[in-house]
């Protein structure tokens, strides 16, 4: 954790930056949010917490949303949420991912953020690669996802 903290402090974040962080309410994203909260105090960051309710009928989704909302309220963080109303006929995971990243992009513009943080980590990377192998992906697809992705106006970081 200290290694990630130092890397973010020295390599990426600057005083007064605005950042969007995707938070589901699970242990990985809460760990990332806790780390950013620690950096908030040091760098006076503006943290925008982006929660997406995937609306799949899982009973805990509303509880997760309320948990993240309360955490944000207690820690003086901006809370934004979106609910996926409909899924088309495409792959559920692709549609959900597309929705999330489009939503993050909207929040980046709204708050003039420099970074989007997600809590993807090595286990997620392995899962992504295995899923792509099973589906017969290209060699590029086997590489999974990158830790740092430069977008036009901002950077996506996956520090975990």
């Amino acid at each position: 954790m200290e290694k990630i903290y130092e890397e973010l402090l020295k390599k990426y974040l600057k005083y007064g930056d605005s950042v969007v962080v995707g938070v589901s309410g699970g242990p990985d994203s809460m760990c990332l949010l806790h780390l950013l909260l620690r950096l908030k105090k040091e760098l006076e960051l503006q943290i925008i917490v982006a929660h997406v309710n995937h609306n799949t009928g899982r009973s805990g989704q509303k509880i997760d949303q309320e948990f993240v909302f309360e955490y944000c309220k207690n820690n003086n963080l901006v809370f934004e949420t979106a609910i996926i109303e409909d899924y088309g006929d495409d792959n559920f995971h692709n549609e959900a991912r597309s929705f999330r990243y489009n939503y993050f992009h909207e929040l980046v513009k709204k708050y003039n953020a420099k970074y989007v943080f997600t809590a993807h980590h090595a286990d997620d990377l392995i899962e992504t690669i295995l899923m792509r192998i099973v589906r017969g992906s290209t060699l590029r697809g086997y590489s999974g996802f990158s830790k740092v992705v430069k977008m036009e106006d901002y950077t996506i970081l996956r520090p975990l």
Side-chain angles (χ1 to χ4, degrees):
M1 196 68 143
E2 283 304 311
K3 182 180 173 187
I4 295 169
Y5 177 84
E6 289 298 321
E7 179 182 20
L8 292 176
L9 192 58
K10 292 178 182 171
K11 202 170 176 184
Y12 298 106
L13 297 172
K14 304 287 182 256
Y15 184 86
D17 278 349
S18 179
V19 302
V20 172
V21 56
V23 180
S24 66
D28 301 336
S29 65
M30 291 307 295
C31 174
L32 176 60
L33 183 55
H34 178 74
L35 176 66
L36 289 171
L37 191 58
R38 184 173 158 202
L39 286 162
K40 178 186 194 281
K41 294 172 184 160
E42 193 164 336
L43 297 173
E44 292 196 28
L45 300 176
Q46 180 186 25
I47 299 174
I48 297 87
V49 175
H51 176 80
V52 175
N53 181 332
H54 289 85
N55 197 25
T56 59
R58 185 177 66 80
S59 61
Q61 287 178 333
K62 187 70 176 158
I63 293 168
D64 293 343
Q65 185 175 330
E66 290 170 6
F67 170 72
V68 175
F69 172 76
E70 286 299 319
Y71 185 90
C72 291
K73 190 168 85 175
N74 293 336
N75 288 283
N76 198 28
L77 300 172
V78 176
F79 175 78
E80 293 275 357
T81 190
I83 299 173
I84 301 176
E85 297 295 338
D86 271 327
Y87 290 96
D89 296 329
D90 195 12
N91 176 291
F92 165 79
H93 292 289
N94 288 340
E95 286 189 44
R97 181 175 30 262
S98 179
F99 181 93
R100 279 193 311 272
Y101 281 95
N102 287 335
Y103 178 57
F104 296 159
H105 180 76
E106 288 174 24
L107 293 177
V108 162
K109 287 197 288 188
K110 179 178 178 179
Y111 291 98
N112 197 28
K114 291 179 70 174
Y115 297 99
V116 169
F117 285 89
T118 68
H120 295 106
H121 51 79
D123 287 348
D124 297 320
L125 178 59
I126 291 166
E127 180 182 321
T128 298
I129 292 169
L130 289 173
M131 216 168 42
R132 289 177 179 174
I133 288 170
V134 168
R135 291 185 183 155
S137 182
T138 64
L139 277 178
R140 186 177 185 280
Y142 294 155
S143 67
F145 52 77
S146 299
K147 181 178 176 177
V148 178
V149 179
K150 297 275 188 194
M151 303 300 282
E152 193 173 310
D153 306 0
Y154 62 98
T155 302
I156 298 172
L157 288 174
R158 299 175 179 107
L160 302 185

